[in-house]
Amino acid sequence: MKKSLLLVIITIFAIFLTACGGSESKESSGESGGTKLDILSWWTAGGEADALNAVLKGFEEEHSDIKVENSAVAGGGGANSQAVLSTRLQGGDPPAVFQAQGGPDLLRWESAGYLEPLDDLYEENGWLDVYPEELIEMNSKDGKIYGLPMNVHRNNVIWYNEKVFDEYGIEPPETFDEFFEIAEKLEAEGITPLALGNKTQRWATLVFEAALLNEYSVEDMAELWTGEEDFDSPEMRSALETFSKMLDYTNDNHSALDWQDAAELVISGEAAMHIMGDWETGFFESKDLKPNEDYGWIQTPNSEDVFNVVNDSMGMPTELNNPEEAQQFVEYLGSEEAQKEFNELKGSIPARTDVDLADFGTYSQAAAEDFKDFKLSISLAGGSATSAGFISKVDDAVNEFVTQRNIDNFIKSLEDAKPLLDEEE
Ligand code: BGC
């Protein structure tokens, strides 16, 4: 059956259920008579959850008649939340606003007919002047804008326990040779050199991307994800060898842990390093850890002048019961105030360019400077570099590699998935 026909049938069925009172929309009238909206995301850990709660509170303070419920779904690097989103959109029970990765990940919902254009909001609020053109472009299709960029995160960072490094006289590694030297030393002391939590597959892809950045220039990396570079190349094989060696120094229980569990290993000193996006600084700060005292960071080897960009953007579905109130919420999320509150706690830099960063943490202030100065590379693990379908195949291949370490199989899986690169979303 054609996908669109199937969607129509599911939608008619869902409308029928709703009419019969069989499903209750979260987006409805609140008990006190005010309006209730909800926001769907995967911001559930320390730092990211605080950031989300701060904007919910900020909005409700300005709009006492509208209640916004937090419908966040944990885990999966967004996969779980996206599955819920898909069911809710198809079932006629859309959240008022939802999180997506900017670009193909967001725009695939437009192709399925579920996204409301935000052009009027951009016009009315002067957002075209304060949001970077590249981020607006990333969330646009056929001349219309479908996403509100919330932030910019960086993925190519090694976070480390400063006290462990001090105790063993270790300097942060600038090359993979140094990384493996340190790893040997730490292992001999009974410390896990590299924390990994790949219960969510995406986090192994993020570590693999660090090995790729060691081999590929920003330009060549982009061509990998457009299909112009061969997957079978000396660079790819060398990256896989490096990745395999990195895996030798990780905790045995990695497949049972998520990113924040791996971060906890670094906090306790059980592990020394963790390669993760910079929501990690928000997590550390939510645990009262001090930058350059309790934890430090360095860019992953051979990417010292590269900013591996991750972007979260918000989408607003069609067919809402309370579209005006949902718009007011999106309007608030795009305000200078919300972008400040949110990103200050999250560890990201605001997507909006006119936010005063004076109160931001040490890491974020440095990240904002780096974002201006470094070469920008759209992160594959950040979900925006190419189609969602291809990235999901990479996740599968990387996680199979984590257990099998078979370079030929890995390359074959990517080659088999190549047609997905041509999908727009
Ligand atoms: C998102 C971040 C989030 C992280 C961990 C990433 O996919 O882009 O906003 O903090 O996942 O949940």
Side-chain angles (χ1 to χ4, degrees):
M1 192 184 302
K2 280 191 75 147
K3 211 163 109 195
S4 49
L5 179 60
L6 183 65
L7 287 185
V8 170
I9 293 174
I10 292 174
T11 309
I12 292 173
F13 183 62
I15 291 169
F16 174 74
L17 273 184
T18 312
C20 297
S23 86
E24 197 194 321
S25 171
K26 293 207 179 169
E27 197 233 353
S28 59
S29 275
E31 281 140 35
S32 56
T35 307
K36 224 160 90 186
L37 306 175
D38 81 307
I39 173 168
L40 179 59
S41 76
W42 57 96
W43 292 316
T44 57
E48 56 182 21
D50 301 339
L52 174 58
N53 287 327
V55 286
L56 297 185
K57 189 162 166 262
F59 176 72
E60 284 180 1
E61 272 166 17
E62 280 184 19
H63 300 266
S64 52
D65 53 331
I66 310 176
K67 168 118 194 64
V68 190
E69 204 172 282
N70 179 355
S71 293
V73 179
N80 300 344
S81 160
Q82 285 160 344
V84 170
L85 176 64
S86 176
T87 308
R88 289 189 56 185
L89 290 175
Q90 291 181 37
D93 173 29
V97 175
F98 66 89
Q99 174 199 0
Q101 310 285 185
D105 182 55
L106 175 87
L107 293 173
R108 62 188 156 137
W109 303 115
E110 192 282 327
S111 305
Y114 291 126
L115 268 190
E116 199 64 64
L118 303 177
D119 297 73
D120 289 350
L121 281 178
Y122 271 80
E123 285 283 327
E124 284 156 22
N125 293 287
W127 288 349
L128 292 166
D129 300 328
V130 288
Y131 282 92
E133 227 177 286
E134 296 80 358
L135 292 183
I136 296 178
E137 187 55 34
M138 198 173 181
N139 287 316
S140 299
K141 201 175 159 198
D142 302 331
K144 288 195 174 145
I145 313 171
Y146 290 96
L148 169 71
M150 282 306 283
N151 59 10
V152 173
H153 270 301
R154 164 161 56 184
N155 256 354
N156 53 324
V157 186
I158 304 181
W159 304 93
Y160 55 88
N161 182 315
E162 192 84 56
K163 297 201 165 115
V164 170
F165 269 32
D166 284 352
E167 188 175 342
Y168 298 107
I170 288 171
E171 291 294 324
E174 288 178 10
T175 63
F176 270 110
D177 283 345
E178 286 177 15
F179 179 91
F180 292 125
E181 247 172 63
I182 293 173
E184 274 298 303
K185 198 165 172 181
L186 288 162
E187 198 168 60
E189 299 293 348
I191 293 164
T192 300
L194 182 64
L196 175 66
N198 66 320
K199 179 173 164 195
T200 284
Q201 299 208 89
R202 184 59 55 83
W203 310 136
T205 305
L206 193 151
V207 177
F208 169 58
E209 195 171 21
L212 286 175
L213 282 170
N214 187 45
E215 304 288 338
Y216 289 89
S217 67
V218 164
E219 294 75 18
D220 290 348
M221 187 86 137
E223 289 189 352
L224 261 185
W225 313 133
T226 55
E228 290 156 274
E229 277 273 324
D230 277 346
F231 291 131
D232 196 353
S233 66
E235 290 81 6
M236 179 61 79
R237 288 180 176 272
S238 174
L240 286 162
E241 272 158 23
T242 303
F243 180 45
S244 177
K245 206 164 164 194
M246 289 161 94
L247 292 169
D248 290 341
Y249 292 104
T250 56
N251 40 299
D252 292 338
N253 61 346
H254 55 78
S255 59
L257 307 185
D258 213 318
W259 72 271
Q260 62 271 41
D261 309 315
E264 290 281 9
L265 293 181
V266 174
I267 295 178
S268 70
E270 210 174 305
M273 299 179 275
H274 187 211
I275 299 179
M276 189 43 56
D278 54 12
W279 42 91
E280 184 114 330
T281 187
F283 186 70
F284 286 155
E285 308 255 329
S286 78
K287 309 264 163 190
D288 288 330
L289 265 62
K290 301 274 164 285
N292 295 325
E293 211 177 296
D294 299 311
Y295 71 96
W297 60 89
I298 185 166
Q299 304 247 136
T300 58
N302 210 17
S303 76
E304 59 282 354
D305 58 350
V306 175
F307 198 108
N308 203 24
V309 179
V310 182
N311 162 255
D312 295 303
S313 286
M314 310 313 288
M316 192 177 89
T318 50
E319 309 294 336
L320 294 175
N321 294 333
N322 302 297
E324 273 170 33
E325 287 81 357
Q327 270 196 16
Q328 288 176 40
F329 183 46
V330 176
E331 200 162 11
Y332 178 74
L333 292 177
S335 69
E336 200 181 330
E337 178 190 329
Q339 291 261 321
K340 180 173 186 293
E341 305 181 301
F342 181 80
N343 290 293
E344 201 179 333
L345 292 166
K346 190 157 192 322
S348 37
I349 49 179
R352 197 174 160 134
T353 49
D354 57 349
V355 177
D356 181 3
L357 303 182
D359 297 334
F360 278 54
T362 317
Y363 169 83
S364 298
Q365 296 208 13
E369 288 304 309
D370 295 345
F371 184 63
K372 282 189 222 142
D373 299 341
F374 289 6
K375 287 184 223 152
L376 305 184
S377 167
I378 305 292
S379 170
L380 181 80
S384 298
T386 183
S387 75
F390 181 82
I391 300 176
S392 142
K393 292 283 180 198
V394 177
D395 287 339
D396 292 343
V398 167
N399 284 273
E400 195 175 293
F401 184 85
V402 170
T403 48
Q404 296 182 353
R405 313 285 183 99
N406 187 320
I407 292 185
D408 290 333
N409 280 357
F410 178 86
I411 290 175
K412 179 161 185 319
S413 302
L414 259 56
E415 280 170 346
D416 290 349
K418 211 163 181 176
L420 294 173
L421 284 173
D422 297 330
E423 289 194 347
E424 246 181 82
E425 285 114 25

